[in-house]
Structure formats: structure tokens, C-alpha cells
Amino acid sequence: MADYLPHTDTDLREMLAFLGLESLDELFAHIPEALRLTHALATPEGLSEPDVAARFQDLAALNQARSSRTVCFAGAGAYDHTVPPVVTSLGSRSEFVTAYTPYQPEVAQGVLQAVFEYQSMVSRLFGLEVANASLYDGATGLVEALNMAHGSTGRSRMVISQGVHPHWRQVVKTFARGTGYEIVEVPLVNGVTDWSGVDLGEAAAVVVAYPNVLGAIEEVGAPMNLAHAHGALGVVCANPVALGVLRSPGDFGADVVVGEGQPFGTALSFGGPYLGLFACTMEQIRRLPGRIVGETLDLEGRRAFVTTLRAREQDIRREKATSNICSNQTLMAITASIQLSYLGPRGLYEVAARSAAGAHHLAARLSEIPGVSLVSDAPFLHEFALRLPVSAHRVVHEMAAEGLLAGVALDHLSEGESCGVRDPETVLLVAVTEKRTREEMDSYVDVMKKVVA
Amino acid sequence: MADYLPHTDTDLREMLAFLGLESLDELFAHIPEALRLTHALATPEGLSEPDVAARFQDLAALNQARSSRTVCFAGAGAYDHTVPPVVTSLGSRSEFVTAYTPYQPEVAQGVLQAVFEYQSMVSRLFGLEVANASLYDGATGLVEALNMAHGSTGRSRMVISQGVHPHWRQVVKTFARGTGYEIVEVPLVNGVTDWSGVDLGEAAAVVVAYPNVLGAIEEVGAPMNLAHAHGALGVVCANPVALGVLRSPGDFGADVVVGEGQPFGTALSFGGPYLGLFACTMEQIRRLPGRIVGETLDLEGRRAFVTTLRAREQDIRREKATSNICSNQTLMAITASIQLSYLGPRGLYEVAARSAAGAHHLAARLSEIPGVSLVSDAPFLHEFALRLPVSAHRVVHEMAAEGLLAGVALDHLSEGESCGVRDPETVLLVAVTEKRTREEMDSYVDVMKKVVA
Amino acid sequence: MSQPGGRAASAPLMGREIEPTIFELSSPGRSAYQLRTTGVEALDLTSVVPGEYVREEPVRLPEVSERDLVGHVTRLSHRQFSVDLGFYPLGSCTMKYNPKIADWVTGLEGLNSVHPGVPSELCQGWLELMVDLEERLCAVTGMAAATLQPAAGAAGELTGLLLMRAYHESRHDQRRRVLIPDSAHGTNPASVTLGGYEVTTIPSGPDGLVDVAALKAALGDDVAGIMLTNPNTAGLFEENIVEIAEAVHGVGGLLYYDGANLNAILGVVRPGDMGFDIVHMNLHKTFATPHGGGGPGAGPVAVAEHLAPFLPGPQPAREGDHFVWRSPEHSIGRVHGWHGNALVLARALAYIEVHGGDGLRRVAERAVLNARYLQARLADTLPAAYEGPCMHECVLTAKGLKDETGVRGLDVAKALLEHGFHAPTVYFPLIVEEALMFEPTETESRETIDALVDALRSIAEQSVRDPDGVRAAPRSTPVRRLDEARAARQLVATEDAAHR
Amino acid sequence: MSQPGGRAASAPLMGREIEPTIFELSSPGRSAYQLRTTGVEALDLTSVVPGEYVREEPVRLPEVSERDLVGHVTRLSHRQFSVDLGFYPLGSCTMKYNPKIADWVTGLEGLNSVHPGVPSELCQGWLELMVDLEERLCAVTGMAAATLQPAAGAAGELTGLLLMRAYHESRHDQRRRVLIPDSAHGTNPASVTLGGYEVTTIPSGPDGLVDVAALKAALGDDVAGIMLTNPNTAGLFEENIVEIAEAVHGVGGLLYYDGANLNAILGVVRPGDMGFDIVHMNLHKTFATPHGGGGPGAGPVAVAEHLAPFLPGPQPAREGDHFVWRSPEHSIGRVHGWHGNALVLARALAYIEVHGGDGLRRVAERAVLNARYLQARLADTLPAAYEGPCMHECVLTAKGLKDETGVRGLDVAKALLEHGFHAPTVYFPLIVEEALMFEPTETESRETIDALVDALRSIAEQSVRDPDGVRAAPRSTPVRRLDEARAARQLVATEDAAHR
Ligand SMILES: Cc1ncc(COP(=O)(O)O)c(C=O)c1O
Ligand SMILES: Cc1ncc(COP(=O)(O)O)c(C=O)c1O
């Protein structure tokens, strides 16, 4: 019987009387009777908030992979980076949380300016001129990038490295069912994309990951040049934390950069809500999907912000819109801009550099274990693929019992998509963030030794 | 090296230069050299926030009596009542948390109005005309009540029932070292105060608890009448939740009512910060300790709130002030007013009634255990004193191992103060709130059976 | 350009100045970050990363102290209207009160710290939560199975259209067109295009309902399906829905239900019973997971039995007393990088669990009552665009007012801001002239609605007396009306563009 | 009187209306509460409580929906200035930035859910935390032992005075008077009275420091001790403190250090080294536990060895690797219902642990630098009341301005609100005419201080040009200047009084 409704019996009586109705049921009298439900919905009876809270606490306790029970070395697109209390507390201010899309800029400068600042940071991070107000996640960001390439080139052939996260490629393929794109995958050799045999004729986009799903730092300039040589757009899927130390994709000539923004202030959250980062060149601005906030003046000459270039969007352009996106991930975008301001240039650098230092330390120690080795000798930053003498799934399982989330088993992740490595069932993707201590890594190595022995 | 300081090296250089100084040390050159520290403070080196967070998580884990490990049946002045997320989230809005005392009412209407609403609710709850903006806690509230009685009557004899919480009586005695009051304690007989043998001549105050420390609902009208017959003020120490179903002390003629406001939205918090509730008759208004918020108008005629009758306070009246209190517990007062608005009349009633129902259920079941009985047959509400065949401390200890915080051992609580019962080491104070389920109580009974067997 | 960091002048509480951007607050060398001490030795990056990839200088992010960051963001929040501050009757958006228990749920470490790539044995709680939610959503919509992956309503729409396509293709049935009423939300046609179909627009009749004759005329065996909301975007219940369903099914098409308006019919009538095959829900609307200033939302899709084999995968599934991931036989594949907006899903389940079946019906009843009451009370001020009884929202028109006074619907909306209310949705649905679409939602009290009515009446009166005054509103908001043309003409979408 | 609940008109974001009280928002029968389902049978209260005690009707609390409650409180918060919104240079109050990590600490279930009445074995974490904090506070002050019980500075003062009394009494030494400089905070004399002593006021010299000759003249063997802050409330370091200490100790008196200004000397000089016997600290000032709109604070007291046996008890104590409660031999007894404002103590410890010893010294350095810089920059606008170098705060005087323009210090303070800054402390210390006491704290940036200087200059200029304009400030705040006399004359301190 719990609810949040303010109506007292008197309210109900008087409001119905004003409408000339006798009962609440009469509100629905014009709905064909045959359709009207005569019984309650088949959902459990309502509980009070504290009862529901107890239920959720029980559910939460059932997740063994929670941070209080397992130390996280899993990455593969979702990372356990620092989220300081100040970022959480600012990002959860109720004015942001309970606002709608900023349709009335006079009373929405808070969200609008925060998103403007977010766009500015994403643009600098990716090295491109313009960024949008966010997309759902990295994977659907890539879909939008391909749509942009299609719109820009009029072509439908999408050439994608197998170094791109397998889930992203799956999502691309799902949506290609509608748009009819041809998806051409380019294999990895020794962990990095081998562009040599690829036919780029009629390509709309050439897509490379930076670093790729195995953690390898791939060549970015070459595929961008290839793309341009064939009249295609060059698209980079970037790990945004890695860009704290790696050069921006824009510097290598990328036309579009997408990324998963979760590492910027969003908890692991079992995969969502995350944040699709998206930036492109000014040339593509009219094809940019989603919202853009721009600067302007109010009628008294004060600087102010407003959503702009709205003619691209679905509510105005309808079936000809550049995208169908409406709700996006604004709150995560605001949080990301807060997190990036918290980190600043040096902080972001440190996060990337320390994560890398940890990963290299751990990789070196693990490689000493007999039967354990790195899948590739390509350069990597804070994530690497490990070849195990036993099933990676088993290792994850057994190490979890010892309080360590060892990583992500590649075959569990790839669900049949190829990531260019043989025997994926013995490959473990390991990620190290700036949060992981030497102690935790030592214990990781010890447990791994036992498990593979 | 972590801190929150904005000064860059350039800032430091330029600011010092502006002052004509060469170094930060020179800022302190006028301090006698012999006094100036030449070595760092003997405190551990600074840690980063995440390191400190890890340390605090470890400390927190060491507290076995936390809610995730033990179900709380302890009361004795601090209660495990419902604090819904909505109250916590509103009460922790940073505008309230990071404001100072409302000295500039033009920009402090938020705190001022919230405190006005709090005063209004306390006044209605206690049945008295005026309440202040809060005191530190119930215990120091009683001290202020006695100071008021002294100011009002010119007398120094304080007659206090032993049903008043032993800590409160200790606090009263401590502060009486300064004010020189004579403290006369009135014993309990069968759990309730026996006023028959007391000499009330020259009494400044007569103090009774409602319900008392053993949970008994005491006569309130009689001691108030006694007080008035002898020219003393009648003071009631009330459990504010109990007043959800019990008549207000004001109805019985109390001149001053104090209470511990923790049950209204404040977590157990290991005893603080809590909230001293304080209300009195209009007659005593000029002697009211602490801040009072009153209504007024601004110069455009808008209703507004401001601290008033400031001439009572220490910053103006100095050594003749009614109290030395300056900082109080405003944030808890705001939270209490939010919690009371959340509960409303029916909710507060339900909290009290359900707590009582639970307590009576549990008391009845426990009384069936051989050797276990109620200390008194006086009426009680949601708290009762249990006579055990073994040491109460042992019971608390052993039941904690089974996930139950059985209550508070009376001798642990009273630290030598008498609570009018023989063999206090075998007395356990048990409290039941509206949060306790029948299941939890059943398990309590089962474990108790084992422990005392 | 350096600016003071500690001044509240920009906040509406004091003064009328603008808030500097975080970049303007920045000062070289200042910083806020603190990181864990790990005991790991620093690494010479050039020893592991080829030189050409190493960034030459750090990303040009703002350099601020934690204190200045907090001040800036807190002041920005004071420049933002929200449900928590007041009435937000934005039509089609269901800006109801978002219970704080849901915030608490998302704060549970056992939920928010779980990595999405773990094997099912390590996340049983999450899987159970998701299966429970799927079951509840099926019960509410009268459907057989659901996917929780779509991240918002539009993503749900596209997912639904791909399901439609997969279904027809599985039957080797090539179809080309999807019907959409002219009152539909813009995401519908946009999704149809992305689903690889063509849009055929169906006109609405003068009663605001789909013109059934026109619809029937547009049908053919190249029609893959139709997308409808019911109640529709005019807030009216499509009373001919059974006839429509039969007609569409008759040519082999499927019915897609845009669930943005589900709030109106919870526990009253179910899309499944009306004949719909596919339903998306906007959890951020109907189930009160807040809207976050533009997102995140969640747009689960529920389908009838015959479409279940095509749902996206992997899906959480109950297997005895355990939970596993499973992919439907003919799954269209993933539509989200992981499993959907999981914490939004958790919020929605908490909301549903508190309400239960009868609570959800109360929601619909009160939502409709409030809208109907509002519309009736405004009848002589801003008449309804259509005659039929409205459901949870009402579309009014300022056409009369405009003809009489020159004050447009947009002006009325802006003037409402001055009265302390958020504006309604303006100029939507597109088929209504000077549309003002109000959705009070069930969590607003009668007094609040009455106050809105009073405000609108006074604006209408002022429009006669002083139309320029209305057109100049709002005046007391943090900024006044904006030069939107300038924003588009001289695009400045980043700090760098501002200083170029 | 019923009022709309969903309107933000009262919020400064929109409109200029007042916010109704929660009682005005109330409507009979409305409610928000939800309680756990316990399975316990309801009880007929009259069967267990004698009839005369049973309340006849429920307490007349507000009746509101959760939504209206949230709207009300959120709007109230938008009518409240705070550190998180902007610069708050309130002298003597140390309104520095309060790190959010401390909020996080208080949210730890393992700290905030612990009942205070549990045996020590069940709360080892809390005891360790408290012992750690005591040790840190002793290190900072140069003292031997501490109590964490006092709930605020004033409570600490009274505790200190009772310790002084207990000490003298233990030596059978009757003393009557406590010396206090005329610049002292009001709590000092008020505490002295409650401690059972008489106040002897010591004048300050023209340099703002204690007049040592006058002090010596006031000494005698009936003097229990002296209360001083150092730096004093004029922001000046009492350079003769060693001489003063010797003189007071010479007559057998004790020195009490009012730690409200401790921020200025962290890691620079310690009260213990200056000769103080008793020190209280305001954790809500120096250690950044926020001030909560008026409280809670915490006022631990640290003492030299010879006073340790008198400290309040029980006290947390280390015993091997365990922690226990222990009462000092000659304890004056409890000064708090439990163990002090525990969660405030936890905040302070977190703050100290982040800073460490050198971090605390940096705090003092920057605090003093900021104040000194502010004072210097304002020299030609609002001169300092005294010549000596200020420490963490500076007392300026508007006397010149007033003589010249008629604009008073209070007017300057109010005008500052209009510029987006909180006002300084006005008219304190009492010994300075038209005092304006600024304490910038270390967490403000140079740009912020420069902006304050600009604002004050412009106010000073306006005072010449347009004194009435300054006197009419503020204009853009939620309310303007109040009729304070009316508030006192027609006391309305409760909703019932308002409607009487
Ligand atoms: C009728 C209707 N359909 C679809 C949508 C799209 O939903 P979303 O914003 O979640 O993508 C909306 C949202 O405004 C809507 O109102
Ligand atoms: C110098 C001085 N002493 C004592 C106090 C009293 O401290 P509290 O408010 O914590 O009781 C204050 C607080 O304003 C102060 O500034």
C-alpha cells in the first residue's frame, strides 16, 4: 500500500466532483471495456521502502564480485578507477539528477554549462574540434560513428579492426541489420591489426581501437591515412584514460573518435549507465548525432548556453534525423567533467601512468610463472592479455574464492567474435588501475601460481 | 603531501612579494623564536584521501556492534529508529551542512526557516509554548533546565528522580561543581519514583523522566504539582518518540521539558552528534538558553526569519548570559524537523505504537524463560528492564556473537549511579523499535534461552 | 583568463552575474586530485610505449582546487530547475517525483561495484534483480518476454524495429514500410529509418485520434508494422485500438507500442491485451528513475511470445534456483555494450516493488485524475486541443490567445517560469497549433495544480492588458531569453571555440 | 491555510516569493511515512498504558507527501548561503572548505550504526579512532592528555574551567577569579560564570594585545587562571605570552587556551610550549568538520600532565593492542550524554590524517598569508584596527568610512552580500569601533581574495557617491534587511504563535 501520492480522500472526492465523476474507475470509462483489467497486475504486492531496502541488501550480498569481497583486476572496457567522494557528491546533486533535458535554457543553465564544459574537455582529450553532449555508451557511440561515415561518404562498407571490443562489434552488427551496412573485420596478428590484406575500396569508415581489446597500443596514423586515401572516414575507439599519456587520436588524423567514458567518475555499476564519448571534426558537424550545447547571449547580453544546431535532431528532422537519440547520458557527462576537473592535466596523467606502472609490474611478475605468458609482445599500457596453461574461466572462478577478480576470460567476453587469438578460452584479459597496490598484486601472483600449478 | 590548498608556486611568490617577504617562515617572524617549532608535529605523515578511506574502512570493520553484524535491541537513550533515505538526503544538503550560524539573515533564510519549523514541532510535541533552536544533547539540556530553574527561583536545590538517565545525572553533577547546586536524588521503588519521603523545601527544580531509564511510564502530574506547591519549576526529561502516543508533559503542568532528539532522523553514531530538545513556558522566555528564531518582515514586507531575543546570549550579555552555548546542533534540528514532517502525526504515532507492540511481545516471550523476569510491573512502552539469572554483561557478549545486540547492561550504563534496582549487574535494558521484526525477536528469545540456560 | 573561485555572485541566491567556466577558474599548477599510495614503482613510459604515441603535453584540462571545483558545481546546480525544486509539468516527459530510496539502492556497494564482465556465478544478485524486473515489466505490459539492454526509449524503439525485421525475415517476408501517426514523437520516424524501413505517416482525425480509415487505406502487405503510443501524444486513448490491431495484423504487420505514455494505463489496461506485439518502456518516465538533466534512462523492450526468440542477448535467465546468461535462439544480438543501464534498472525495480500491482494502478488513476482536473479547470483560459477525455496529460492550445493578443504559446511557457513553474512542452505534438502540453503526473497535489491554474489565468489576463510584458518574460531567472540564432550561426561548442 | 507544494517561486532561481512553512503546505490526511513490515501484532495501547497517559490526539505535525517535503526542503536550501556556494570570510569562524571525504567517513555503516552503550569489545574501531584523535590533538597542542566529550567550543571552555577548579580544589586552594581580556569571545565570560568564578576583565593596549601591566596588576592568589586566545580575537599574536604565562603561574594560576584560532599556528607554535595548561579546540573550525548551519561542532580539551587526572571520563584508552574505557583517577565526571560528538570526531581525524604534520603547517602558513595579503591590499580602503602583523584573520575598521560618508560597517557587510560574498564578522571584537573581521582561510585562492578586495573598494567608492544605495543593500538576496526589532517585540517563535 506504499506510494508517493498526495491525494487525500477529500482531494479525490472534490476533484472527481469537479469533473462530474463518481469514481476513479470512471476516468477510464471511455476505454473499451473488454480491454480494461478486472484483476490486479500479476506483480507482488507493494512493500514499504524499508522492506524493499532489505530485499535489495540481500540481492547485493549475493554478488560475490563486489568490491568488498574481490579486488578488481578486470577491465575489458569497464575499469575500477578512483571515484573520489567529492565527485560523487557533486555529481549527485538533485538539481542535476531530477532535471529533464534542458529545454528551457533560462532555468537550465546549470546542466547546459556543465555539458558545455564536458564537450570542451572531450574535444581536447580526443584532439578534435567538436564533441556532443554524450551518447549511451562506447558501443552505441561506434554505431553512431558509422552512421556519420555513411552520411558523409554515402557508402555502406565498414572496415573494422578485430581489436575493437567484441561487444562493440556485436552491437554494430545488430544495428547493421537495419542500416544494411556491410561489416568487414580486419584480423589481428600478434595482437595488432594487420591492415595489409584489406580491400578498402568503397569503405565508408575504417575503425581501429587505441589501445585495442587485448591492451595493445596499435598504430593509429596508418589506418587513418589508409582511410583518407580511400575516401573513408577514420574512426578511433579510444580508451580515454590511456589518452592521459598517449597522443590524441585527432593528432593522427582521426575524423571521429568514440570512447567509453565510464572511467571518468562512474562506478562499475554492472555495466551501466555508462557514457558514450563522441567527438569529430568541424566538417562533420551537421551530421553529429545527439545534442550539442553552444554559447550565446541572453537579451541583456549575458553569456548563456543553449542546445543548438537542433535541426539535426529527431524531434525536428524526424525520419531524416542524423540519429534517433533523445535521452542520452547527461548525468554521467556532468560527472565526467567534474572528475576530469578534479584530476586536471597532471592527475589524468598520473592515473594513466600509475595504471601502466602497475600493469607492467604485474605482467612481468606473472610472466615468470611457468606456463603463463603475454599473448602479444606489442606495447601495452594498463591492460594486457595473458595466456594461461588452464582455462581462464577456471582461473577467474578459483581466484574469486580467494578475493581476487583476476580479469575477464576472453571467450566469455567475446561470445564467439574473434579477437584474433587462438584458443581464446585460455586467454585472460587483465587490467590494472591506479588503485591497485603492490600488495594486492603480490597476492594476485601468489594465488595465480597456486591456481595454474 | 595531500591538502586542499589552492596556492600555486606563483601565487606564493607574488603574494609574499606584495608583502615584502621572502619566505613563508617570515610570516611568523614576530612570534618569539623560542616558541617556534623547529621540527614537524609528531603526527603521522599525510596520506592521500583514498589511503585514509582505506584506514577508516578498516576501523569501521572493527566495530562488531554495527548494524550489518548485530541486530540492535539496545536503547537507554539512543535508539535504532527508521531513518529513511529521503531524510538523510535532504538533511545532508551542502547548503545546510556548510553554512555557519545564520548571522546574515538575508542569505540564511534556509536554515532560519527550517529551525523555526523545528521549534514549532518541538513546542507541539512537548506541549509548551516555546522551544529553542537546539542544545547539544539531552544530558546538557537537563543542565540548562536546571540553570533556568536556578535563574527563575534563585534557589540551588535540584531534586532529581533516579529514573533520569544515569549519564544525565552524572553530567548534571559535573556541571554542578561550577554552579554549586545541591543535587538531591529521589529513589525508585518498583521501578517508579517514590516522591513520598522527599523534602522539597527550597527546591529550584523537580525533575522526572517520562518514561524513565527502566522504561517505566511514571506519574508526571504529581511531581509537577509538588514542584509548583513548593515554588520550584517542574522539569520533565521526555523520550520524544514515546510522546507519539503519550500525553505531552506540558499537559501535566511541566515548566520545562528536555529530551534527546536522536530518535528523530539521527543515526546511532556512537553517541553523537545528537540533539538536545528544549521547550518551556513563555514565562521563562528571557531565561531560555541558546538561539531562538522568530518571524518578522523584511523592508519590502516579506515574511522572513531571524534569530531573536539575542540579548540573552553570551556574545551580547557575556558573563551574565543565560548560557554559554554558541554552536549548537542545528543540522540535527533541521534533520529532526524533516523526519517529523516525514512521519507526520500518524507516522509518529505508528512508530511509537509499533515499537510498544514489539516491546510487549518480546517482554512477554522473554518472561516465559525460567529465571528471566521484568524488573518492575510498572507500565512501559517500548523499553523495559529485564532481570537475568546471569550477568547482563555476559549475555550481551554472548548474544553479540550470535548477531544480536541484546540491550544495555545496566551496571555498564550506570557507572555507579543508582537506578533504584538491586543487583544491577543482572539487569539488562532492552528496547524495541518499529524496525524490529517478529523473526528477529524470535531469534532473540531462542538465543537468550541458550545463553541463560 | 583567471577568475575568482569563491564568489557566489553567479548563483541566483545573490547577484546576477554569470558563472565563469571551469576553464576560466583554472590556474596553472593548481590541482585537486589525490590518488592511492600503491607502493608500485613509477615507470618510464618511453620504455614501454613507442615515442610517437607518447603525449607531448598533458591534456589541457582545468586546473582547480577541490574547493573551487565544489563552489563552481554547486553554483551551477543553483542555476538549474529540477523536480526537487518544483512543479515540472512537461508533457510527454512524466516528470514525477523520484523517490530517494532509489538513490539509496544505487549506492549499495554490492550493486554498484560489480564489474559487468564477471561470470554469472559471481553476480547472482544482479541476475536475479534483472529477471525480477523483466517479469514485472511483462506483467505490467501483458507481454511474454523482455530485454533490458536498450539504454533509452529511442534505443528501445530501434531494438523493437529490428525485432520486427528479424521476425518478418525469419518468415522470408520482405516488408518495406512502417506506419506512424502524424502525432508521433520524433524518435519514432528516426528509429524507423535506422531500422531500414520507410515511414508512412497516418493523419490524425479532428478528434486527435488516428484516422482509422486512412490507416486502413495505407495498409498493405509491404507494411512491416505500425508504431503507436496509447494514450497518444495528444493524451488521448486510441479507442479504436482493437480495430487497428486487427487491421494491421490482418496484413501480417506487427504492432509496436511506444511506452512513453505507459504511466496513464498502469494496472488499467495492458498493451498486450490491446494487441501490441512489441512494447518499449521509458523507465525514467513511468518508473521514476530520474532523468538526470537529459539521461541516463532505460528503455527495456517487452514482446509477445512469437517475438521472444529474436530478443537481444545474452539475457539473464532463471534456471532452478540459479541465474545464468542465455541467448535467445534467433537473437538479433547485443544492443548495448554490456547489459543495459543496470543501476537505472535497479531503481525501477525498487519503485515497482514499493508500489506493487495496486500501487501502480493508483499511480495511473491519480495521474489521469490530475490531468483531467487541470484540463477542466483551464477550459476557459487555454482550451484543450481535442474534445475527448484526456488521460495523463492534456494538450491545450494558445491559438485563441494568440489570435486575440499576439501572445504565443512559447510566451505563455516562458511567463510560467516567472511564476515559479517549469514550462509545459511547447509546440508538440506538431499537429496542434500553439500546443501547450501539460503532464502534471500523479505526485503533484491538487493545491499545486490549482496554483498552476491561477498562474496561467493571470498570464492570460496579463496577455490582454500587457502583451509585451508577457513576451518579455522571464525576468527573474538566472538568464533571460537567449539569442538561439546566434548560438547556431556562430557555433561555440567548446571553450577553445570561445577563444578562437 | 493550504498552499501549493510544487512551486519554485520561493526559490531564488525563479521569482521572489516567500516559501510557505511546512505547516502551510500541510493538508489533513496526507502523509509520507513508510515503515517496515514486522509481523508483530498491533497492541491495544490502553491495555498497557494507563488511560490518563494516552495522548488523545496525535501530535499536530505537518501532513505532507514525500514529494512536497522534498520540494520544500530543497527550496529552503536554495535560500541558504554556504561555503560550498562561495567565499565566507567570517572572522573567528574559520569557514574553510570542508573536504567531502569526511562526509563519506560519516556514511560508513561500521561507524554510524554503532550504539554508544555497547561494551568496549564490540566497538574497538571507534575506541581506536578516538585514541588516535586524542594523540593527534595532543601532538598539535603540545599537551599530555585530552578529552573528546565536549560538544562544542563553549562546552570545552566550561570543561576546562571545571578542570581548573578541580585542580585547585585538589590542592585545597580556594580561588575566585578568572582573568579575561576585553577582546575575548562572549563564551569565555559566560563559561567563567558557569564554572563558578568571577570575571576580571583585562584591557587591551592600543596595539591590540593584552596590556601586560594591567594584567599583572590584576593578578593575585585568588586568581584561578586566565583565558586567552593566541592569536587573539584581533588576529594578533600575543607576543608577550611567555611573560604572561610566568606571571600567571607565578601566582598559582592556570592558563586556558581558547583554541578557536588554532588554525593560525598549526605546526608553527604550540599552546603547550607557550605555557598553557588547558586547551580547547573547535574541530568545526580548525579541522574543517563543517559547521552545519550552527552546529554540530566538537570541542575537545587537551591538558598538561598535571591536569590529566581530572579529565572527564570514561575515556578511551589503549591497553596493549586493545582499547578500553577508563576513568581518570580524579575525574570531574561526564560532560556529555555519551562520548562526545563522535561522527564529528571521525571527520576531524580524517582531515588530520590527510594533512599530516607538514600538511597542517601548510594550512597555517596559507591561512596567515591570505589574511596578511588581504589586510595589506585593503590598507587604503578599510584600514586595519591595529598595526601589528595579523595572523589568520584581520580586524579592519570602517570608522573612517563612517565618519566620512555615514556608511557603517554593517552597511559594508550587507553590501558585500550583493557582490556575492558572505559578510565578515561585524562589530567584534567589541573593543574595535566599526569592526569588520575578515578570515579568508587557507582554502581560498588569491583570485578570490583579489575579487573581495575589488568588491570592498567599489563599496567604499559607492559610499562616497551614493551612501543611501549602500545602506539599502542587499537588494537581490532572497529577502532584504529585516525588521529585527519587530521579531523581538512581537515574538513569534512557533507556527502556533504565528496564528495566535
Ligand atoms: C512519446 C515518446 N516516445 C519516445 C521517446 C523517446 O524516449 P527516450 O528519450 O528515452 O529515448 C519520448 C521521450 O521524450 C517520448 O515522449
Ligand atoms: C574565539 C572563540 N571562542 C569560543 C568560541 C565558541 O565555540 P563554539 O561555538 O564551538 O561553542 C568561538 C566560536 O565562535 C570563538 O570564535
Side-chain angles (χ1 to χ4, degrees), chain C residues 6 66-67 87 97 444, chain D residues 6 30 66-67 87 97 444:
Chain C
E66 184 169 315
R67 186 272 175 282
F87 190 19
Y97 169 65
E444 297 302 334
Chain D
R30 214 165 268 166
E66 184 169 315
R67 187 270 176 282
F87 191 19
Y97 170 65
E444 296 303 333

Side-chain angles (χ1 to χ4, degrees), chain B residues 100-101 103 136 291 314 324-328, chain D residues 91-93 151-157 183-188 229 231-233 258-261 280-285 291 294 297-299 393 428 437:
Chain B
Y100 202 76
T101 301
Y103 288 150
Y136 304 136
R291 253 165 251 138
Q314 42 73 26
N324 69 337
I325 194 166
C326 179
S327 289
N328 57 23
Chain D
S92 200
C93 302
E157 292 172 22
S183 65
H185 193 261
T187 49
N188 291 187
T229 71
N232 65 23
T233 57
D258 174 341
N261 295 337
H280 92 252
M281 284 147 279
N282 298 61
L283 300 190
H284 41 303
K285 299 182 176 186
H291 206 274
E393 61 194 1
F428 180 76
M437 186 184 199

Side-chain angles (χ1 to χ4, degrees), chain C residues 94-157:
Chain C
T94 316
M95 294 298 280
K96 61 172 80 174
Y97 169 65
N98 312 117
K100 300 300 169 200
I101 178 86
D103 295 345
W104 178 89
V105 163
T106 64
L108 285 171
E109 172 263 350
L111 294 182
N112 68 30
S113 72
V114 181
H115 191 282
V118 301
S120 55
E121 314 93 75
L122 301 185
C123 55
Q124 287 291 301
W126 261 117
L127 293 181
E128 180 172 346
L129 187 161
M130 288 181 157
V131 168
D132 276 5
L133 180 61
E134 283 183 8
E135 288 173 0
R136 306 286 187 277
L137 296 179
C138 286
V140 165
T141 53
M143 293 284 156
T147 175
L148 303 176
Q149 283 190 26
E157 291 172 23

Side-chain angles (χ1 to χ4, degrees), chain A residues 2-8 10-11 47-51 54 85-86 89-90 93-95 106-107, chain D residues 13-14 27-32 34-37 65-68 74 77-78 97 100-101 103-104:
Chain A
D3 62 34
Y4 305 92
L5 305 175
H7 301 78
T8 64
T10 315
D11 292 335
L47 297 170
S48 74
E49 278 194 3
D51 295 338
V86 64
S89 88
L90 292 176
R93 284 194 60 87
S94 70
E95 295 89 342
E106 296 87 347
V107 295
Chain D
L13 184 64
M14 314 203 294
S27 176
R30 214 165 268 166
S31 80
Q34 300 191 31
L35 300 174
R36 191 160 176 191
T37 309
S65 66
E66 184 169 315
R67 187 270 176 282
D68 281 354
T74 308
S77 78
H78 274 235
Y97 170 65
K100 299 301 168 200
I101 178 86
D103 295 346
W104 179 89

Side-chain angles (χ1 to χ4, degrees), chain B residues 48 69 86 90 128 168 171 208 215 220 271 280 308 337 363 391 406 452:
Chain B
S48 73
R69 291 199 45 189
V86 64
L90 293 175
L128 285 170
W168 298 27
V171 171
V208 64
V220 173
C280 65
T308 191
S337 79
S391 128
V452 301

Side-chain angles (χ1 to χ4, degrees), chain A residues 226-251:
Chain A
L226 275 176
H228 295 156
H230 290 83
L233 293 196
V235 178
V236 175
C237 305
N239 179 310
V241 162
L243 301 186
V245 297
L246 299 185
R247 274 176 73 193
S248 294
D251 291 2

Side-chain angles (χ1 to χ4, degrees), chain D residues 222-410:
Chain D
D222 63 341
V223 167
I226 183 169
M227 296 182 82
L228 284 176
T229 71
N230 196 11
N232 65 23
T233 57
L236 305 174
F237 193 86
E238 297 283 357
E239 296 174 23
N240 306 312
I241 185 61
V242 175
E243 190 183 345
I244 293 172
E246 279 169 8
V248 174
H249 284 154
V251 298
L254 297 178
L255 277 88
Y256 182 99
Y257 183 88
D258 174 341
N261 295 337
L262 191 67
N263 207 50
I265 59 164
L266 293 168
V268 174
V269 38
R270 302 184 304 174
D273 299 334
M274 297 185 222
F276 285 94
D277 304 281
I278 310 172
V279 178
H280 92 252
M281 284 147 279
N282 298 61
L283 300 190
H284 41 303
K285 299 182 176 186
T286 311
F287 300 104
T289 74
H291 206 274
V301 171
V303 295
E305 198 68 53
H306 50 290
L307 287 156
F310 304 100
L311 283 173
Q315 274 197 302
R318 200 186 296 274
E319 201 164 73
D321 59 356
H322 261 68
F323 295 87
V324 296
W325 289 116
R326 206 188 270 155
S327 254
E329 206 184 333
H330 305 294
S331 174
I332 58 169
R334 286 186 173 279
V335 298
H336 186 272
W338 296 99
H339 322 302
N341 282 346
L343 287 179
V344 178
L345 303 173
R347 286 175 179 272
L349 182 63
Y351 179 88
I352 293 172
E353 296 301 70
V354 167
H355 285 82
D358 55 330
L360 292 178
R361 183 175 167 110
R362 279 199 303 279
V363 163
E365 287 170 354
R366 272 65 170 179
V368 173
L369 177 66
N370 276 359
R372 193 86 54 91
Y373 176 78
L374 173 65
Q375 173 176 321
R377 288 223 47 209
L378 283 173
D380 50 8
T381 310
L382 289 167
Y386 300 103
E387 262 186 13
C390 75
M391 295 288 284
H392 66 303
E393 61 194 1
C394 55
V395 178
L396 312 182
T397 172
K399 184 172 181 318
L401 189 73
K402 184 179 148 200
D403 292 347
E404 194 192 330
T405 67
V407 168
R408 303 174 57 221
L410 184 74

Side-chain angles (χ1 to χ4, degrees), chain A residues 100-101 103 136 291 314 324-328, chain C residues 91-93 151-157 183-188 229 231-233 258-261 280-285 291 294 297-299 393 428 437:
Chain A
Y100 202 77
T101 301
Y103 288 148
Y136 304 136
R291 253 166 250 139
Q314 43 73 27
N324 70 337
I325 194 167
C326 179
S327 290
N328 57 23
Chain C
S92 201
C93 301
E157 291 172 23
S183 65
H185 193 261
T187 49
N188 291 186
T229 71
N232 65 24
T233 59
D258 174 340
N261 295 337
H280 92 254
M281 284 148 279
N282 298 61
L283 300 189
H284 41 304
K285 299 182 176 186
H291 205 274
E393 61 194 1
F428 179 78
M437 186 183 200

